Amino acid sequence: MTREENFMCEAVRIGVQGMRNNMGGPFGCIIVERDKIVGRGCNSVTSLNDPTAHAEMMAIRDACHKLGRTNLTGCELYTTCEPCPMCMGAIYWSKPDKVYFSNTRYDAKDAGFDDEFIYEQLELPINKRILAMQCVTVEEAKKMFEEWVANNKTLK
């Protein structure tokens, strides 16, 4: 077995364990830095009553907490399924070097996890989406960003 297959099997093991323990759906994820697992997560949506508790989100939170930083540069993410749009956003924000996945989003659809409507909605103009959205501009929001810039805040 290759290094990548070994790490993917660990992500699968975590996903199966979570699924069998009624944590949530059949998804697992690990984060690896220099061949050491620094983050783990299984889908915990139903057990936590949290729609954001996907395996990738849980593993990212775990790794960032353990590493004491908000980015995963120098890390690889192994997930048992092609990430959904929410998880992809978090993955891009966390900046791992590479993402490995096993099942595709089409495999997930066949298992009852269909995110296609989200992909379709994201391609539409804001005023054509099912979820009503409206920009409410207030000066205080702009001032909040100006204060951030003025104080030269940076993320770790």
Side-chain angles (χ1 to χ4, degrees), residues 29-40:
C29 182
I30 63 170
I31 312 272
V32 175
E33 182 181 51
R34 294 189 295 276
D35 288 332
K36 180 183 175 202
I37 298 173
V38 296
R40 292 175 171 81

Side-chain angles (χ1 to χ4, degrees), residues 81-143:
C81 189
E82 183 178 355
C84 75
M86 174 185 68
C87 292
M88 278 306 302
I91 290 167
Y92 275 107
W93 278 110
S94 65
K95 301 178 179 90
D97 292 352
K98 191 167 187 177
V99 173
Y100 297 91
F101 67 92
S102 192
N103 294 316
T104 69
R105 71 191 232 203
Y106 305 106
D107 297 326
K109 179 180 179 180
D110 291 343
F113 301 93
D114 188 5
D115 298 327
E116 194 59 37
F117 75 99
I118 299 172
Y119 291 102
E120 292 169 359
Q121 288 293 303
L122 291 174
E123 292 179 7
L124 295 174
I126 288 175
N127 65 340
K128 300 286 185 189
R129 295 179 186 170
I130 292 172
L131 180 61
M133 296 180 72
Q134 181 177 343
C135 180
V136 178
T137 304
V138 295
E139 192 61 30
E140 289 80 0
K142 186 173 184 168
K143 288 179 182 176

Side-chain angles (χ1 to χ4, degrees), residues 28-85:
C29 182
I30 63 170
I31 312 272
V32 175
E33 182 181 51
R34 294 189 295 276
D35 288 332
K36 180 183 175 202
I37 298 173
V38 296
R40 292 175 171 81
C42 68
N43 182 287
S44 302
V45 168
T46 55
S47 61
L48 295 178
N49 293 316
D50 180 352
T52 70
H54 289 199
E56 298 92 338
M57 302 293 280
M58 301 300 284
I60 289 168
R61 291 171 185 152
D62 186 40
C64 287
H65 176 75
K66 286 178 180 168
L67 296 171
R69 60 183 203 244
T70 60
N71 73 71
L72 299 174
T73 302
C75 297
E76 300 168 330
L77 187 145
Y78 290 81
T79 182
T80 58
C81 189
E82 183 178 355
C84 75

